[in-house]
Amino acid sequence: MRLFSSFAKGLAWALLLCSTGAAHAQLRLPGLHLPQPLGGLDSLARPAERLLERSVPGDLRGLRLDAVETLLRRHRTELEADPRGEPVVRGEILATSPAAAALEAAAGLEFAVLRADRFEELGESLVVLRVPPNLSTQEALARLRALDPAGSYDFNHVYTGSSALPLGGGGGAEAARGGTAAGAVGLVDSGVDLGHPVFEGAAVESFGCDGKPHPAPHGTAVAALMVGRAERFAGAAPGTRLFAADIYCDSPTGGSADKIAGALGWMARARVGVVNISLVGPPNALLERVVAAMVARGHLLVAAVGNDGPAAPPLYPASYPGVVGVTGVDRQGRPLPEAARGPQVMFAAPGSQMVSAAPGTSPYRQVRGTSFAAPIVAALLSKALPQPDRAAAARAVSTLAAQAVRENDAPADALGRGVVGAALRVDPNRFR
C-alpha cells in the first residue's frame, strides 16, 4: 500500500509540474549523437570555399547502422539495444496515456515513475517508468504488455540523423530572438547557432536544454536551409519565424522518443503549422500516437526518409501515415544512391552538391543526405500553412505537388510526386 502511495504521489507531482505551462513542459533525458552535417551521409564536409564536386565516398548505406553499433558500445550505461538492434534508453519504458488502474498494477510490480507529461492539445499523456532492478528492459516491457494488453507501452527509442555520425550540439530553451516575421516553421533537431550571419535579424523561438544554447552543425545547417539569409546564401523561406526545438543538448546520448514527443507538444501549443524532423529510427508506440494526433489536428510533419539504402526497411517518423517523407536528389535530379525508397517518399529535393551554414570559423560547409532535402520541402510548405488546418494542409501538399518536376521514367518509390526546390540549391562554386 505504501508502495502505491509513493508511486501515486510521484505521478501526481510530475503531472502537476508538467501542467504549469509551456515553459516547463519539456521532458528531460540524456541526448543522442547526431550526424555530422560530406565525410559521410547527412554530413558536413570541408569548408565550402575549398570544396570541389566529389563522388559519393564508398558505400554510404551502412553508416547509420555502424554508428548505432558504436554508440551502443560507447554508452553501455545509458543505452542498450532492443531486439532489432536499435538503441533505447536503458531501464526505461514509455506508457502512452495509461489508465490509472494500469499504473496501479505497474506499481505492484515495483515499476516507478521517473517523469510524466501531458500534451493537452493532442489529447495524449506520457508516463516514463523505471524498470524494476530484477528485470531487464525487454522483460519489463513484456510484463507491462501482458498486464495491460489494451495499453500502449514501448521502449524509449533514440533517434539519429540519417547517418548517425556523432557531433556535439544543442540549442536554447524558450527564448526569442529577432523581430517580426511572416509565417512560421518548426524544427526538431540539434541546436542552432543563432550567432551565425545567416540568422541575423531572424525571428527564432527556441525550446530545450533549460535555456542553455548548444549550437550544433546538424541543427544549424538544417535551420539555415529553411530560414537563413546572407550575401551568398539563402534558405527556402527567409523571413519566416523559426520554432527550433533542441532534443540533444550537447549530450553524448539522447534524441529519445519522449524528447521528440515533448518537442512536438510544444509545437502543438505554439500552433506551428509545418514541422521538419530530419531524424530517423525504428517505429515507436509513443511517437506513432503523437504523430497521428499532430496530423489529425492539421499539422504537416516533414521528415527525411533516411539513407540506409533503397532496399532498407522503412524508417520513422517519415513512414508514419500522413507524414511528408522527403528524399534527396543530386544536381541532375537523380535520387541519391543511398536514399531510402518506398511509398513513404512523397517529395524529393536537393540533397547533395550543396552548401549550408556551419558553426565555427568555417561558416559554410557542403552537406549531403536526406536530412538536408527535408527542410527545403518543409519551408516551401510553411508558406501555405502558417498554422495547423487540415483542409489547408491538404491544399498545401496538392499545390506543391503541382509544382513538382518528375521524369516519366522515374519510379514513384524513388521520387514520390517529384522534385521541388531545385533552384534553391546553394552551389559550392559560390564560395570559391
Side-chain angles (χ1 to χ4, degrees):
M1 191 66 185
R2 281 197 300 268
L3 176 63
F4 175 65
S5 177
S6 174
F7 182 94
K9 287 179 181 177
L11 175 58
W13 179 81
L15 289 175
L16 177 63
L17 282 182
C18 72
S19 65
T20 56
H24 303 288
Q26 74 188 72
L27 295 166
R28 297 176 183 176
L29 196 67
L32 171 70
H33 287 302
L34 265 176
Q36 226 15 316
L38 180 70
L41 292 184
D42 279 358
S43 55
L44 283 170
R46 297 166 293 177
E49 60 270 17
R50 300 200 302 271
L51 287 175
L52 299 174
E53 270 190 36
R54 47 191 256 179
S55 59
V56 180
D59 183 4
L60 298 178
R61 291 172 292 185
L63 286 180
R64 185 187 73 89
L65 300 179
D66 291 344
V68 164
E69 290 181 6
T70 301
L71 184 69
L72 290 168
R73 186 170 62 252
R74 290 180 178 175
H75 301 283
R76 294 174 182 172
T77 302
E78 300 91 350
L79 301 177
E80 59 183 298
D82 75 358
R84 293 168 295 194
E86 296 287 354
V88 303
V89 179
R90 184 178 293 277
E92 292 190 0
I93 299 296
L94 304 181
T96 307
S97 300
L103 292 177
E104 183 176 357
L109 296 178
E110 299 188 359
F111 285 86
V113 174
L114 289 177
R115 54 196 176 275
D117 206 349
R118 287 179 180 150
F119 311 123
E120 300 286 356
E121 291 78 8
L122 303 178
E124 299 285 359
S125 64
L126 166 67
V127 176
V128 183
L129 299 172
R130 185 176 64 207
V131 171
N134 61 321
L135 295 177
S136 70
T137 310
Q138 186 173 344
E139 290 171 336
L141 178 59
R143 289 277 187 95
L144 288 171
R145 288 175 171 173
L147 188 70
D148 180 22
S152 177
Y153 304 92
D154 211 337
F155 297 107
N156 196 0
H157 288 103
V158 292
Y159 291 74
T160 71
S162 297
S163 68
L165 299 177
L167 59 80
E174 301 297 355
R177 179 183 189 275
T180 59
V185 66
L187 171 66
V188 177
D189 211 291
S190 60
V192 179
D193 181 6
L194 296 180
H196 195 287
V198 299
F199 301 114
E200 184 175 354
V204 182
E205 304 281 346
S206 299
F207 173 85
C209 310
D210 295 326
K212 299 174 183 178
H214 296 277
H218 194 268
T220 299
V222 173
L225 290 167
M226 290 197 284
V227 304
R229 178 165 48 196
E231 182 181 357
R232 292 183 289 176
F233 181 90
T240 300
R241 182 179 295 276
L242 177 67
F243 285 75
D246 178 11
I247 60 170
Y248 293 91
C249 305
D250 204 21
S251 175
T253 57
S256 53
D258 66 335
K259 283 277 193 180
I260 299 175
L264 292 177
W266 176 63
M267 300 288 179
R269 288 190 298 274
R271 295 186 56 79
V272 180
V274 179
V275 180
N276 183 78
I277 311 174
S278 287
L279 310 173
V280 296
N284 178 272
L286 168 66
L287 193 58
E288 182 177 10
R289 292 268 291 260
V290 171
V291 165
M294 291 284 285
V295 171
R297 193 168 181 257
H299 298 266
L300 281 177
L301 301 185
V302 180
V305 298
N307 303 322
D308 284 11
L315 292 171
Y316 297 83
S319 297
Y320 285 127
V323 175
V324 179
V326 181
T327 190
V329 294
D330 63 15
R331 192 192 306 272
Q332 287 73 41
R334 299 171 299 197
L336 299 184
E338 69 271 18
R341 296 191 181 190
Q344 72 273 31
V345 178
M346 189 177 295
F347 290 106
S352 72
Q353 300 155 309
M354 57 193 278
V355 165
S356 191
T361 55
S362 299
Y364 298 96
R365 290 178 180 266
Q366 189 174 357
V367 296
R368 179 189 182 94
T370 60
S371 273
F372 306 106
I376 294 175
V377 173
L380 292 173
L381 288 169
S382 72
K383 297 176 181 180
L385 191 69
Q387 295 185 336
D389 181 297
R390 293 184 66 178
R395 289 194 300 269
V397 171
S398 296
T399 299
L400 189 61
Q403 301 168 6
V405 176
R406 184 165 175 264
E407 301 296 335
N408 291 333
D409 59 347
D413 69 345
L415 296 180
R417 301 186 186 186
V419 179
V420 298
L424 297 170
R425 183 192 310 273
V426 179
D427 196 286
N429 289 324
R430 293 190 192 182
F431 297 86
R432 290 180 175 177

